[in-house]
Amino acid sequence: MRHLILGAALALLLPVAAYAEGDAAAGEKAFAPCKACHNFEKNGVGPTLKGVVGAKAGEGADGYAFSDALKKSGLTWDEANLKEWLADPKKKVPGTKMVFPGIKDPKKVDDIIAYLKTKS
């Protein structure tokens, strides 16, 4: 009986695990609002995001003037930090100069992260 319950619980979690992966193609579309400030070739209003996944916050993007708050945050852009940042940048790093209010749809956040991984 215990195995049956455990098996049922795992079956219920499988869709959540698949969802957490994100869809890079959907992420490319969800990234559209980000293009106003970010791209993958050069700095603009915001820094280039090429190679951002796994990078240290406030570093890289040669020539970009990151906020002191971001430079001192000690963050590495892993999935967990990116999820929190994309959902609410000012909450994740108070004092950041990023004015974007965040993405409230967790699926879009996961999709954007999957897309950013293809550019890293």
Side-chain angles (χ1 to χ4, degrees), residues 1 3 8 15 18 20 30 41 48 53-54 56-57 60 64 66 75 77 81 88-90 101 107 109 113:
M1 181 66 161
H3 289 100
E41 288 80 44
T48 176
V53 178
K56 297 231 181 258
Y64 186 77
F66 290 98
L75 296 175
W77 292 127
N81 284 323
D88 191 344
K90 292 201 178 288
K107 172 139 179 34
V109 169
I113 292 169

Side-chain angles (χ1 to χ4, degrees), residues 10-91:
L10 287 173
L12 289 172
L13 291 176
L14 283 175
V16 173
Y19 165 74
E21 288 296 312
D23 177 336
E28 184 174 8
K29 292 176 185 166
F31 185 80
C34 310
K35 288 181 180 179
C37 298
H38 297 282
N39 66 64
F40 299 99
E41 288 80 44
K42 62 181 183 172
N43 297 325
V45 173
T48 176
L49 296 180
K50 183 169 180 64
V52 72
V53 178
K56 297 231 181 258
E59 295 182 6
D62 292 338
Y64 186 77
F66 290 98
S67 67
D68 286 339
L70 197 59
K71 288 190 276 189
K72 293 176 182 176
S73 70
L75 296 175
T76 297
W77 292 127
D78 58 19
E79 283 192 48
N81 284 323
L82 282 167
K83 282 182 184 194
E84 291 176 17
W85 172 263
L86 289 170
D88 191 344
K90 292 201 178 288
K91 181 178 178 186

